[in-house]
């Protein structure tokens, strides 16, 4: 049996740009990604998403302004855990992104996303997100660089 762990991942949009952060420590170090982390036992997923965003780049959102746009599952060959990642986006936010201990934030044009320096799955599913198509994606990794297999399903609601 795989032990499921819940994570959040938040993308802030402004005109034709998306806010990414360069992860400075821990899981996914040196990769650009959205903002997020583990859901704590005392909070809802939306509360966790807003909290992690604020802790990691000092941007504030109301949990109710976050739209659930995708559901991702990651498994790793030989490892007993499944990462269950809930993905959100919004263009309603307050504050200018600031560097923290965990992340260096930067705006990227939607057409200039730095896929070479991101999780390999991102280049597969970002096009769905950027087109506004909701989806469920499952990726099975060997180590952290190689996708052994994956599946993506478009969905209409979550
Ligand atoms: P701490 O212990 O505070 O450093 P925490 O911030 O709670 O950790 P973290 O940063 O380890 O959690 O969470 C991992 C983040 O990376 C979540 O936002 C989900 C995201 N993530 C994990 N695997 C991913 C993958 N393959 N592709 C992707 N995002 C991934 O795009
Ligand atoms: Na994090
Ligand atoms: Na965090």
């Amino acid at each position: 049996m795989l032990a499921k762990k819940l994570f959040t991942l938040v993308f802030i949009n402004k005109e034709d740009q998306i806010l990414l952060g360069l992860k400075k420590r821990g899981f996914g170090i040196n990769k650009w990604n959205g903002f997020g982390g583990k859901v704590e036992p005392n909070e809802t997923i939306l509360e966790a998403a807003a909290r992690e965003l604020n802790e990691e780049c000092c941007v504030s959102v109301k949990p109710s302004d976050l739209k659930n746009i995708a559901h991702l599952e990651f498994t790793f060959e030989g490892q007993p855990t499944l990462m269950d990642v809930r993905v959100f986006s919004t263009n309603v936010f307050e504050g200018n992104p600031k560097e923290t201990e965990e992340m260096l934030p930067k705006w990227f044009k939607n057409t200039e996303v730095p896929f070479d320096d991101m999780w390999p799955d991102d280049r597969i599913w970002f096009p769905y997100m950027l087109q506004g198509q909701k989806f469920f994606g499952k990726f099975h990794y060997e180590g952290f660089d190689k996708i052994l297999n994956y599946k993506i399903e478009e969905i209409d609601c979550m």
Side-chain angles (χ1 to χ4, degrees):
M1 267 291 285
L2 290 169
K4 258 197 201 194
K5 269 202 171 173
L6 255 187
F7 291 83
T8 61
L9 184 59
V10 173
F11 294 94
I12 301 291
N13 303 109
K14 186 174 74 173
E15 291 144 25
D16 62 343
Q17 300 177 92
I18 186 165
L19 183 65
L20 301 177
L22 184 65
K23 192 99 185 308
K24 293 165 62 177
R25 65 171 193 212
F27 195 75
I29 188 169
N30 294 336
K31 289 182 168 79
W32 292 98
N33 204 349
F35 303 86
K38 299 170 200 77
V39 177
E40 303 292 343
N42 61 332
E43 62 186 357
T44 65
I45 298 174
L46 284 170
E47 286 167 353
R51 174 185 55 74
E52 288 281 350
L53 174 73
N54 189 254
E55 285 175 5
E56 294 182 351
C57 71
C58 305
V59 166
S60 301
V61 292
K62 276 195 251 167
S64 58
D65 281 329
L66 292 171
K67 284 179 293 181
N68 190 194
I69 55 161
H71 182 187
L72 294 167
E73 287 186 351
F74 299 104
T75 49
F76 300 88
E77 191 68 13
Q79 282 184 217
T81 50
L82 181 153
M83 295 185 73
D84 183 336
V85 182
R86 307 303 169 94
V87 189
F88 302 91
S89 75
T90 186
N91 56 13
V92 182
F93 63 95
E94 276 180 24
N96 269 326
K98 278 202 193 73
E99 183 172 0
T100 63
E101 301 261 287
E102 187 166 344
M103 289 284 218
L104 171 68
K106 186 178 166 188
W107 293 103
F108 288 88
K109 281 197 176 151
N110 290 338
T111 51
E112 293 172 7
V113 173
F115 291 116
D116 288 347
D117 300 311
M118 297 171 73
W119 283 100
D121 51 280
D122 291 7
R123 75 167 74 238
I124 299 170
W125 59 259
F126 259 59
Y128 291 85
M129 172 169 76
L130 294 173
Q131 282 162 33
Q133 173 62 58
K134 291 189 166 77
F135 65 95
F136 170 67
K138 257 171 120 146
F139 296 84
H140 186 60
Y141 271 86
E142 181 181 81
F144 297 124
D145 296 323
K146 188 175 172 193
I147 296 169
L148 291 180
N149 54 71
Y150 74 93
K151 191 170 141 185
I152 294 198
E153 284 166 22
E154 299 189 353
I155 50 187
D156 295 326
C157 57
M158 306 232 212

